[in-house]
Amino acid sequence: MPACGQPAQPSPATWQHGHVTAATHSTLFPQAPDTADAVLDGLDPEQREVATALHGPVCVLAGAGTGKTRAITHRIAYGVRAGILQPSSVLAVTFTNRAAGEMRGRLRQLGAAGVQARTFHSAALRQLQYFWPKAIGGSMPRLVDRKIQLVADAAAACRIRLDRNELRDVTAEIEWSKVTQTVPADYAPAAAKAGREAPRDPAEIAQIYNVYEDLKRDRSVMDFEDVLLLTVAILQDRHDIADQVRSQYQHFVVDEYQDVSPLQQRLLELWLGERDNLCVVGDASQTIYSFTGATPDHLLDFRTRHPGATVVKLVRDYRSTPQVVHLANGLLAQASGRAADHRLELISQRDAGPEPVYTEYTDEPAEAEGAARRIRELMASGVPASEIAILFRTNSQSESYEQALADAGVPYQLRGAERFFDRPEVRKAGIALRGAARFGGNDTLLDDAVDLPSQVRAVLSGEGWTTEPPAGSGAVRERWESLAALVNLAQDFAAAKTGATLADLVAELDERANAQHAPTVQGVTLASLHSAKGLEWDVVFLVGVAEGMMPITYAKTDEQVEEERRLLYVGVTRARRHLHVSWALTRAPGGRANRRPSRFLDGLRPGSTATVGRAAARGSGGVERGFTSRPDATPRRTQRSPARCRVCGRTLTDAGEMKLMRCEDCPSDMDEGLYERLREWRCVQARLSGQPDFCVFTDKTLMAIAETEPTTPDELARIPGVLKRKLDRYGDDVLAICAGQELEQGPDGE
């Protein structure tokens, strides 16, 4: 077994992943497997290795879309159903309530209810609440959801004025300090050692941090980081309590292990004690939260800490097409640093799809309108709005896309907003449905309702649901979308459960609320790249992919730039089939067009080179341009088929190979004599114009001409490197040479 974190070796290509769809796709209401062995049905060989490795330390290196959640939930379910694991003895931890809820939902579907699946904070808070009377005594401090007001009060007490942005940044520095277990007195040297750019003088931040801690004690409150810190302190100091926790939990699973902070790692070690029944799952190439203290080092060093660990690499990508996977692999191939050294080369298991589309716009409003226009076309062709996402680097970019979608009549939802079952309209709808389930026989609203979906529509019509959505955007539209999601869920539930009643649906909603397993909302998703982690869509629009935004301006160090590259990788791998990448040359209409596409796309988008910081020539192949921000204008399109090797058919991304129209190692049928005649002609033209030879045509372009032997201007123009200016200037000469004609030595006629 290779060491944890070593590059993956491709799995044998002979095995087929039969009867399993995309890794994170599942039937909405599946039947629980009949037996423990049935839990393993449909898993690929590597996933099955994960599911059956139930003893000792296990490290799962799982690339994007490779079914990691599927593997670990089936692992837990198999252990429970086989009688090897007791449900109450398993603690599965992850980083978001959504992920924990999804895990609980999947385990319930697999017949493994009763397993604790929680976030680190949720699990620690439950233990802290239970053991506080015994360990500390008295009332436990009140938990504050947001610490920013306390930080503002601390700054004011220090007579330090902070604007809104500084307040947010200082709050982030305090959070980082706490998860890295840095006390106020040590903040300045610790921040310098970590290479952090402090938003204020480090001494001032240390002072604010110190007063912030005093204010919490004075007001008897604690923050989320305190939950972990206090739990760690109790488990370290009270061996009897630590033993009680360890007797409860015998088996641990940690998802997204690349995002573990030093404080979370310490808590995990205390939960484990001297045992090693631990399974961790992660991907160093998806480390995008290092600014919060997360580090992939715990994942990459797992085999060092646990020499006997079983290591499984998941590289079969069931989510994305080969074209999307090719771009994702290309992004990481240009990366540097420790995470890049251990990257996983994904292998798509899906049928071929369309090439990624790259579009350049004059300004940001044009980019937003272009995306909305394309989305409207996709929806007209049958793509559900819920299967489309617009992803951006910062939340401030959202507004223009909200407006553009509203103007185009496209429904949307904001990712990262209030949790579905916590929304007021959803709570009210649940009460109404519960009442109808109990007393529906006396409700005239239900007289004409013949089945479950019609009953739900009748009940929710009293809460504001209508057959047609309200016009425009805003709160009214968001409420309607929530109710529509419940209507759609009722239709799916009735189709899956023959004879289901309103009471059955209410029970299903209760279970989903407990698991935070929200139904699908029918709207295009707007989300930041960070909040899109763990999600996927059929169609993804990556917008604002320009220098200054991707990588973001304040990414200065090599490590910060590489994290930005990983963030783009996460965005790319959210797409199952269609991927649209766009950027704008300026922010506002009429502004100076001084932006260029992200350096991360160099050498990957057609027509670009791999030279970092060098702008690709506009007008090169594969770029769809938007030239206007007027809503009634249709952008002109310049389309060129994806560059493919004319020998083996492989998609080409290397600039040199794209000029040759073949892979470097594929056989060449070049006319050597023609190539030499072209080189001699180029030498004369370069001398006459006073330029280096390559400014006329590069060697690769001449080789491509000698291989294809064009006979018309159109055929010559299709060769990469032969731009219109060069075609106009040199085209006649080149075609004459290819035809075997002799040219007079002299000026080229210009």
Side-chain angles (χ1 to χ4, degrees):
M1 180 71 69
C4 181
Q6 294 303 308
Q9 296 298 317
S11 302
T14 55
W15 185 85
Q16 296 297 316
H17 197 270
H19 310 295
V20 178
T21 58
T24 50
H25 258 320
S26 61
T27 306
L28 189 60
F29 300 99
Q31 297 294 324
D34 295 333
T35 64
D37 287 341
V39 173
L40 303 177
D41 290 346
L43 298 182
D44 70 28
E46 294 79 24
Q47 292 170 345
R48 184 179 284 256
E49 285 290 333
V50 174
T52 55
L54 294 172
H55 301 288
V58 178
C59 176
V60 183
L61 299 176
T66 58
K68 68 177 180 63
T69 305
R70 178 184 180 83
I72 59 176
T73 52
H74 281 68
R75 179 182 192 270
I76 295 170
Y78 175 71
V80 169
R81 299 289 297 275
I84 299 171
L85 303 176
Q86 293 299 315
S88 60
S89 71
V90 180
L91 178 59
V93 289
T94 186
F95 285 81
T96 66
N97 288 313
R98 181 200 60 78
E102 180 184 357
M103 193 176 291
R104 288 194 295 271
R106 292 197 188 199
L107 289 169
R108 177 166 63 95
Q109 292 169 353
L110 291 169
V115 173
Q116 291 293 307
R118 299 187 172 277
T119 65
F120 271 100
H121 286 89
S122 173
L125 181 60
R126 283 170 63 90
Q127 294 175 20
L128 192 62
Q129 290 170 331
Y130 183 82
F131 290 112
W132 186 273
K134 180 178 180 180
I136 309 297
S139 300
M140 194 173 82
R142 177 176 59 87
L143 180 64
V144 292
D145 291 335
R146 299 177 72 248
K147 61 173 65 67
I148 199 161
Q149 185 57 54
L150 270 171
V151 176
D153 293 346
C158 297
R159 298 185 178 180
I160 298 174
R161 294 178 62 87
L162 300 176
D163 61 30
R164 181 178 301 177
N165 291 332
E166 288 176 324
L167 183 59
R168 181 198 62 208
D169 291 343
V170 169
T171 301
E173 289 302 294
I174 292 175
E175 291 175 348
W176 172 82
S177 299
K178 299 188 74 165
V179 300
T180 56
Q181 302 175 79
T182 303
V183 298
D186 295 337
Y187 168 76
K193 182 178 180 181
R196 296 182 72 85
E197 289 192 14
R200 295 284 297 231
D201 182 276
E204 290 183 331
I205 295 177
Q207 184 183 3
I208 295 171
Y209 178 15
N210 190 56
V211 173
Y212 167 81
E213 293 296 317
D214 291 340
L215 285 178
K216 287 197 288 108
R217 282 190 290 272
D218 293 343
R219 299 177 185 182
S220 190
V221 297
M222 62 180 178
D223 57 30
F224 278 103
E225 290 73 37
D226 290 330
V227 172
L228 300 182
L229 285 164
L230 289 168
T231 305
V232 164
I234 289 174
L235 295 178
Q236 284 181 158
D237 295 343
R238 293 290 300 267
H239 298 292
D240 57 330
I241 292 177
D243 289 341
Q244 191 172 343
V245 171
R246 291 165 191 161
S247 67
Q248 169 71 49
Y249 296 115
Q250 306 291 325
H251 198 96
F252 296 86
V253 176
V254 184
D255 194 11
E256 304 288 3
Y257 193 55
Q258 77 278 351
D259 291 331
V260 166
S261 70
L263 179 57
Q264 290 164 332
Q265 175 65 20
R266 179 59 184 145
L267 177 60
L268 178 62
E269 290 168 354
L270 288 166
W271 282 339
L272 274 168
E274 299 300 319
R275 301 165 300 171
D276 61 0
N277 281 330
L278 170 65
C279 174
V280 300
V281 189
D283 178 10
S285 296
Q286 296 188 69
T287 304
I288 59 173
Y289 298 106
S290 64
F291 60 91
T292 67
T295 171
D297 289 346
H298 304 301
L299 174 67
L300 298 178
D301 294 337
F302 189 84
R303 192 65 180 274
T304 302
R305 297 195 311 276
H306 302 278
T310 298
V311 179
V312 183
K313 296 187 174 87
L314 303 182
V315 296
R316 304 177 197 258
D317 188 324
Y318 301 102
R319 175 187 300 160
S320 304
T321 62
Q323 287 75 15
V324 173
V325 167
H326 184 69
L327 175 58
N329 286 337
L331 280 171
L332 293 187
Q334 298 181 1
S336 61
R338 191 177 184 214
D341 291 340
H342 303 289
R343 69 181 184 274
L344 298 168
E345 185 85 6
L346 299 178
I347 305 171
S348 176
Q349 305 296 298
R350 295 194 56 176
D351 292 335
E355 292 285 342
V357 176
Y358 301 88
T359 310
E360 183 176 274
Y361 292 93
T362 53
D363 52 62
E364 289 182 2
E367 186 178 10
E369 290 160 10
R373 185 165 50 247
R374 282 171 172 267
I375 288 170
R376 190 167 56 185
E377 293 169 356
L378 286 165
M379 292 173 61
S381 70
V383 179
S386 60
E387 287 297 345
I388 304 173
I390 299 176
L391 307 182
F392 32 74
R393 176 62 179 83
T394 66
N395 287 319
S396 62
Q397 295 169 269
S398 174
E399 185 176 355
S400 60
Y401 290 92
E402 292 178 53
Q403 187 61 55
L405 292 174
D407 291 344
V410 174
Y412 66 88
Q413 59 172 330
L414 291 174
R415 180 73 198 169
E418 194 172 25
R419 289 194 296 182
F420 182 82
F421 289 104
D422 292 337
R423 297 175 185 175
E425 65 272 16
V426 174
R427 290 201 299 267
K428 286 184 62 180
I431 293 171
L433 290 170
R434 187 170 284 104
R438 290 179 179 175
F439 311 111
N442 300 321
D443 193 336
T444 56
L445 264 178
L446 302 181
D447 287 348
D448 298 326
V450 296
D451 56 14
L452 177 60
S454 59
Q455 290 175 339
V456 172
R457 289 193 294 269
V459 172
L460 296 188
S461 64
E463 301 299 321
W465 178 82
T466 55
T467 55
E468 293 295 326
S473 58
V476 173
R477 180 60 179 254
E478 290 177 5
R479 284 195 295 273
W480 184 89
E481 296 287 357
S482 297
L483 298 177
L486 294 174
V487 171
N488 292 333
L489 178 67
Q491 293 170 342
D492 292 333
F493 187 70
K497 306 283 186 181
T498 304
T501 66
L502 203 52
D504 294 331
L505 178 65
V506 168
E508 173 68 19
L509 288 174
D510 287 342
E511 289 195 38
R512 282 173 166 260
N514 290 332
Q516 283 300 320
H517 183 193
T520 301
V521 175
Q522 292 300 319
V524 172
T525 300
L526 293 174
S528 70
L529 287 165
H530 281 102
S531 64
K533 178 79 163 53
L535 303 176
E536 61 184 72
W537 298 268
D538 282 344
V539 186
V540 168
F541 288 78
L542 291 176
V543 299
V545 188
E547 286 293 306
M549 192 61 73
M550 179 61 65
I552 200 77
T553 305
Y554 51 75
K556 304 294 186 183
T557 67
D558 291 343
E559 291 82 3
Q560 291 168 340
V561 170
E562 286 306 312
E563 180 143 336
E564 293 288 298
R565 188 193 306 275
R566 294 195 294 270
L567 190 57
L568 182 58
Y569 171 81
V570 167
V572 167
T573 54
R574 299 311 94 195
R576 298 192 192 107
R577 181 170 175 80
H578 297 276
L579 180 63
H580 298 260
V581 183
S582 65
W583 59 91
L585 298 177
T586 185
R587 186 179 65 82
R592 183 180 177 187
N594 57 359
R595 292 182 179 173
R596 64 170 296 268
S598 169
R599 72 190 74 167
F600 300 146
L601 300 178
D602 289 348
L604 299 175
R605 60 186 179 88
S608 66
T609 66
T611 304
V612 176
R614 181 179 176 184
R618 296 197 190 103
S620 54
V623 175
E624 180 176 332
R625 301 175 183 278
F627 287 91
T628 176
S629 62
R630 291 184 291 111
D632 59 339
T634 301
R636 290 184 289 167
R637 296 184 178 184
T638 302
Q639 292 186 338
R640 179 171 290 179
S641 299
R644 296 187 184 279
C645 175
R646 53 193 169 81
V647 180
C648 70
R650 183 178 69 85
T651 301
L652 303 176
T653 57
D654 178 76
E657 292 184 340
M658 289 170 65
K659 286 190 175 182
L660 291 175
M661 296 300 290
R662 64 171 174 82
C663 304
E664 284 278 6
D665 52 359
C666 280
S668 170
D669 54 356
M670 183 178 68
D671 183 333
E672 296 286 350
L674 175 56
Y675 178 65
E676 288 304 320
R677 291 195 299 275
L678 287 168
R679 281 173 57 87
E680 291 170 4
W681 165 83
R682 180 184 65 176
C683 183
V684 173
Q685 297 302 319
R687 187 173 66 250
L688 290 171
S689 61
Q691 302 180 93
D693 287 3
F694 68 83
C695 289
V696 179
F697 285 119
T698 65
D699 285 345
K700 288 287 177 63
T701 300
L702 292 186
M703 290 174 67
I705 294 171
E707 289 182 354
T708 57
E709 298 185 41
T711 59
T712 67
D714 286 343
E715 290 177 358
L716 180 58
R718 282 196 287 270
I719 297 175
V722 183
L723 303 179
K724 186 177 185 303
R725 177 177 58 81
K726 293 189 177 184
L727 181 65
D728 292 342
R729 185 172 185 180
Y730 303 123
D732 291 342
D733 280 5
V734 171
L735 291 172
I737 295 171
C738 290
Q741 301 174 14
E742 291 292 332
L743 296 180
E744 294 183 6
Q745 298 298 322
D748 63 312
E750 182 169 322

